[in-house]
Amino acid sequence: MFEVLVYVYENYWRGDACPESGQLGRKLSAQGFDPQEIREALHWLDGLSLATQGIQLTRHADGTSATVSLEGPTALPQSPGSMRVYSRAEQEHLGAECLGFISFLESSGVLPAGLREIVVERAMATTDDTLELDELKIIVLMVHWSTGIEPDALVLDELCDDTVHRVAH
């Protein structure tokens, strides 16, 4: 499924530029992707589309952070001193490495609370037993892609770069 998501990310500049599911499925099939992977990815993308509906992004004047607000009477903003506590199922599915990366993105101002919840929800919607860090990075990219939010260049590098072969200077 993640190979399909990477293909979609690389070939459609934003979520609203992506064709509807039927047409996208045919294009993915023509590219040679496995039908089961296509079905899983399309189902996952439909869930992402539903999760990101009604998101409003407000960039702060400093340009380094953003506030995500959700429309509707049940959407409450996160209090400044609040802390996200992950359920046992989330801890087991995401693992320490992924949870640490989410925390890093949050503290960097890259992943506001509203987007974090979408990332966690979409990560929990994957079928793997334990999510790998590279898979989480794809999910973060896809959430940004779906909302039309362009990540900072350094963050984009962190999300896309192969850190195994990175040379420290």
Side-chain angles (χ1 to χ4, degrees):
M1 177 185 83
F2 288 100
E3 290 177 10
V4 175
L5 294 179
V6 168
Y7 177 85
V8 170
Y9 179 82
E10 290 176 344
N11 288 279
Y12 300 100
W13 65 282
R14 281 181 42 167
D16 56 3
C18 190
E20 54 89 19
S21 283
Q23 184 180 5
L24 180 59
R26 287 187 296 277
K27 287 184 178 205
L28 293 169
S29 183
Q31 290 298 316
F33 288 106
D34 179 65
Q36 178 63 28
E37 285 186 7
I38 293 171
R39 277 191 296 281
E40 287 177 13
L42 292 177
H43 179 72
W44 191 91
L45 285 168
D46 286 343
L48 177 61
S49 178
L50 286 173
T52 57
Q53 283 180 351
I55 287 196
Q56 296 176 339
L57 178 72
T58 308
R59 285 236 176 253
H60 296 254
D62 62 7
T64 60
S65 60
T67 302
V68 174
S69 58
L70 305 172
E71 294 177 353
T74 60
L76 299 173
Q78 180 173 320
S79 300
S82 64
M83 179 178 73
R84 172 64 154 89
V85 178
Y86 294 92
S87 71
R88 179 177 301 283
E90 290 170 335
Q91 290 176 32
E92 290 173 359
H93 187 70
L94 296 173
E97 190 175 28
C98 289
L99 291 172
F101 190 71
I102 290 171
S103 178
F104 162 72
L105 293 175
E106 269 189 285
S107 65
S108 301
V110 174
L111 197 63
L115 289 185
R116 176 201 61 221
E117 291 307 310
I118 294 170
V119 166
V120 171
E121 186 273 330
R122 291 288 74 211
M124 294 301 291
T126 62
T127 56
D128 297 341
D129 289 335
T130 302
L131 197 68
E132 299 292 326
L133 181 59
D134 289 339
E135 295 168 338
L136 177 70
K137 289 179 178 185
I138 293 168
I139 292 170
V140 172
L141 281 172
M142 293 305 293
V143 168
H144 279 85
W145 171 84
S146 181
T147 58
I149 300 169
E150 182 71 29
D152 175 85
L154 292 174
V155 173
L156 196 57
D157 183 53
E158 179 66 33
L159 291 171
C160 295
D161 193 26
D162 180 10
T163 56
V164 173
H165 298 100
R166 183 182 293 171
V167 176
H169 297 300

